[in-house]
Amino acid sequence: MLIARPHVGPSATAFARSPLPPATLLDRIAAYPIPDMFVGWRMFPAVTSVDDESWDHVGASRVHRLADGGSVTETMTEYTAGVGFAYELLGFTDVFGKLVHGVRGEWSVSPDGDGSIVRWTWEFAPRPLRRSLMAVVVAPLWAMYSRRMITAVTAAVSKEPVAA
């Protein structure tokens, strides 16, 4: 973990259900194109491209290019096959970088009847004197945005045929 626990502040969690088994759902979410997921909404810019698409092991890192001209580096920090993965976003070069040191994100899946439940959490590490702004404004808006994204992504990957 790169972001130390005392610095983690507000968080937002979203859930969705899929008819797919957990391992299949997780693999498809991990492979989903980041620009198709982060289309931008309100204060959150779209991701326009991603440098180095490899995303299959702890330590994998990639740079997201944002529609507002900024960028951020994402690094996978944890991975458990069929269960979930975690990552950190550090080095925001846009206005978000003035609010946070970074973000810890986590996707996890669990069985639910004949399908799965997927959970996506973001924990924000606010900069000094930004915790209240993050808790009152940014985290609630992010919660709305992440619910929209997890619903759309889960629906999209659940419709794709299983590769032969």
Side-chain angles (χ1 to χ4, degrees):
M1 178 182 320
L2 301 174
I3 299 173
R5 271 286 165 224
H7 300 291
V8 173
S11 64
T13 301
F15 298 88
R17 186 174 193 296
S18 171
L20 297 174
T24 302
L25 179 60
L26 185 65
D27 287 348
R28 290 183 180 187
I29 287 171
Y32 197 76
I34 296 296
D36 292 350
M37 182 183 299
F38 290 89
V39 296
W41 181 74
R42 297 196 179 186
M43 67 183 286
F44 305 110
V47 173
T48 57
S49 66
V50 178
D51 298 349
D52 187 6
E53 287 285 339
S54 64
W55 193 245
D56 57 1
H57 63 279
V58 171
S61 189
R62 55 192 182 182
V63 176
H64 298 216
R65 305 290 172 191
L66 308 175
D68 65 0
S71 63
V72 63
T73 300
E74 178 185 33
T75 302
M76 186 179 292
T77 58
E78 299 173 33
Y79 176 79
T80 303
V83 176
F85 62 90
Y87 56 92
E88 290 190 332
L89 298 166
L90 297 171
F92 284 95
T93 63
D94 61 356
V95 69
F96 208 62
K98 297 186 184 319
L99 300 174
V100 299
H101 291 291
V103 173
R104 182 184 188 279
E106 181 181 317
W107 288 86
S108 61
V109 293
S110 57
D112 183 54
D114 60 351
S116 304
I117 294 288
V118 59
R119 178 183 66 117
W120 183 26
T121 298
W122 263 36
E123 295 176 314
F124 300 95
R127 292 198 177 276
L129 306 176
R130 308 296 196 287
R131 184 175 298 274
S132 294
L133 176 64
M134 294 301 297
V136 174
V137 177
V138 178
L141 283 172
W142 182 262
M144 287 188 272
Y145 183 38
S146 65
R147 280 192 298 272
R148 293 170 54 138
M149 286 191 293
I150 197 172
T151 299
V153 169
T154 303
V157 301
S158 295
K159 291 178 187 171
E160 295 177 10
V162 176

